[in-house]
Amino acid sequence: PSSPSPNPQGDNNQTPRIPASHSPSIRKKGVNDFDFGKTLGEGSYSTVVSAIDRTSRREYAIKILEKKHIIKEKKVKYVNIEKNTLNKMNHPGIVRLYYTFQDQNSLYFVLDHAKNGELLTFIKKLGSFDLICTRFYAAQIVSAIEYMHSQGVIHRDLKPENILLDENMHIKVTDFGTAKMLESTEDGEDDRANSFVGTAEYVSPELLKEKSACKSSDFWALGCIIYQLIAGRPPFKGSNEYMTFQRIVNLEYTFPEGFPPVAKDLVQKLLVLNPSERLGSGGKVGIAKLKKHPFFEGTDWDNIWNTPAPRLL
Ligand code: ADE
């Protein structure tokens, strides 16, 4: 027997409620929800500022981009890439994007605040890392790359400035403004991403010669970073960008005396001109091979994000 409906619109109690816009946990955040602190970093298109959520007291790093400048410099596409790639990633080794909002003049990306700043600062401060520390950081970078690639994202600008360190001295990869999202093909190893050129010293030869990057290009950068952690300087460094590029395409680099042989063997297998012959390339099998290299002996891959960082000295 149908009784008169108490609900003239005919919806039942299961109708989802539109959240009240004054509900602080759901309402979109804005500039006024944060207390801004000191500047953490400045790039050509953005400034990263420390900020505290007034409600939760949680600390974040907010990347601020000036709209006028982004449009004038034709970087709208890259800003969108950064937002879209960060939005799909959820991994301890990658900076998390919590909120985005905008006001009249600027775009705001609310990110993890990595308390210990850039890996580059530590390389400069210490000169170089020992084998134990290099292995730990290299393993964390490999784990983060493995995850990005599994999500179809090529970073394309991995370098010690873009590898941040959190309060536990674990890494957080940042700066996805020049990343490439591959179309969702099943493990597209031959996917080529076009045109962008990253930072001179870490750019892969295929990008310089064929103007195309692939997942393997991130492993070239890994080789450069591992070399730099041990040697204290990147492998390819000319007196200017052009000279640096010349050295890269000719694989012109040498190891300093005392470079540990096991690390030398790994770097030689990463700094390979042909991307498909580079250690790490070839999808899941390739990454598994990289992880099995003797350089990583003793690495607890399954617990790498719960392993205490070795003391740097
Ligand atoms: N510098 C640039 N981005 C940063 C971040 N997310 N955390 C700390 N320092 C940074």
Side-chain angles (χ1 to χ4, degrees):
S2 68
S3 53
S5 171
N7 188 338
Q9 281 143 333
D11 57 346
N12 57 37
N13 292 330
Q14 283 144 326
T15 302
R17 283 178 185 283
I18 310 282
S21 62
H22 49 77
S23 166
S25 56
I26 293 169
R27 195 197 78 237
K28 192 164 170 71
K29 296 241 184 225
V31 180
N32 291 326
D33 291 301
F34 297 91
D35 288 324
F36 288 79
K38 64 170 200 246
T39 298
L40 299 169
E42 270 175 295
S44 352
Y45 305 104
S46 64
T47 302
V48 180
V49 177
S50 152
I52 292 169
D53 181 324
R54 288 179 176 167
T55 310
S56 69
R57 305 311 298 168
R58 254 197 76 148
E59 192 173 15
Y60 294 97
I62 303 189
K63 186 167 185 167
I64 308 172
L65 305 103
E66 199 200 350
K67 292 187 207 177
K68 241 179 18 200
H69 189 221
I70 298 297
I71 294 165
K72 191 171 63 196
E73 300 293 320
K74 301 189 163 62
K75 301 296 169 190
V76 175
K77 184 178 132 190
Y78 296 106
V79 173
N80 282 313
I81 288 171
E82 176 155 36
K83 179 175 166 177
N84 294 335
T85 50
L86 278 175
N87 256 331
K88 59 187 268 179
M89 280 190 280
N90 175 20
H91 188 269
I94 296 168
V95 154
R96 192 173 147 189
L97 177 62
Y98 293 89
Y99 318 101
T100 58
F101 48 84
Q102 55 181 302
D103 59 18
Q104 180 110 53
N105 297 317
S106 305
L107 305 173
Y108 299 83
F109 290 1
V110 182
L111 303 162
D112 275 317
H113 182 272
K115 286 220 169 32
N116 282 304
E118 298 173 3
L119 179 60
L120 182 65
T121 309
F122 288 86
I123 301 174
K124 284 183 178 166
K125 198 153 59 186
L126 301 167
S128 62
F129 286 15
D130 65 14
L131 201 54
I132 303 270
C133 292
T134 303
R135 182 214 287 146
F136 177 80
Y137 286 105
Q140 289 214 328
I141 297 166
V142 168
S143 172
I145 293 175
E146 178 178 30
Y147 176 78
M148 295 187 291
H149 289 186
S150 77
Q151 299 300 301
V153 172
I154 312 173
H155 188 285
R156 300 200 294 183
D157 200 17
L158 288 172
K159 55 179 173 178
E161 290 101 303
N162 287 342
I163 297 169
L164 304 177
L165 295 160
D166 69 12
E167 66 278 16
N168 300 315
M169 289 299 280
H170 284 196
I171 70 154
K172 297 260 185 216
V173 174
T174 192
D175 206 347
F176 284 75
T178 49
K180 175 73 187 178
M181 216 179 308
L182 297 169
E183 306 306 322
S184 45
T185 51
E186 263 308 294
D187 221 323
E189 259 312 290
D190 280 300
D191 282 293
R192 290 283 186 140
N194 294 316
S195 72
F196 160 77
V197 176
T199 306
E201 279 80 7
Y202 309 88
V203 163
S204 61
E206 60 271 20
L207 210 135
L208 294 171
K209 284 194 278 211
E210 277 119 68
K211 295 194 166 182
S212 70
C214 49
K215 287 180 177 175
S216 189
S217 311
D218 284 339
F219 293 113
W220 174 275
L222 172 70
C224 293
I225 295 166
I226 294 172
Y227 178 103
Q228 184 173 3
L229 289 174
I230 293 172
R233 57 174 169 83
F236 306 99
K237 195 155 179 59
S239 43
N240 56 49
E241 263 195 6
Y242 178 78
M243 295 303 287
T244 299
F245 294 161
Q246 285 299 312
R247 292 193 180 175
I248 292 168
V249 299
N250 294 311
L251 200 64
E252 216 178 295
Y253 76 103
T254 57
F255 290 98
E257 232 176 289
F259 201 99
V262 70
K264 183 171 173 176
D265 187 83
L266 174 61
V267 169
Q268 284 172 328
K269 287 172 170 147
L270 290 167
L271 299 183
V272 169
L273 291 176
N274 183 343
S276 60
E277 289 172 10
R278 211 169 282 153
L279 190 56
S281 78
K284 288 194 197 335
V285 179
I287 297 211
K289 259 199 246 171
L290 168 60
K291 289 170 148 186
K292 285 200 187 86
H293 188 280
F295 172 82
F296 289 114
E297 200 172 290
T299 301
D300 185 357
W301 288 103
D302 295 329
N303 293 304
I304 190 83
W305 301 101
N306 296 314
T307 304
R311 197 169 320 286
L312 288 173
L313 76 177

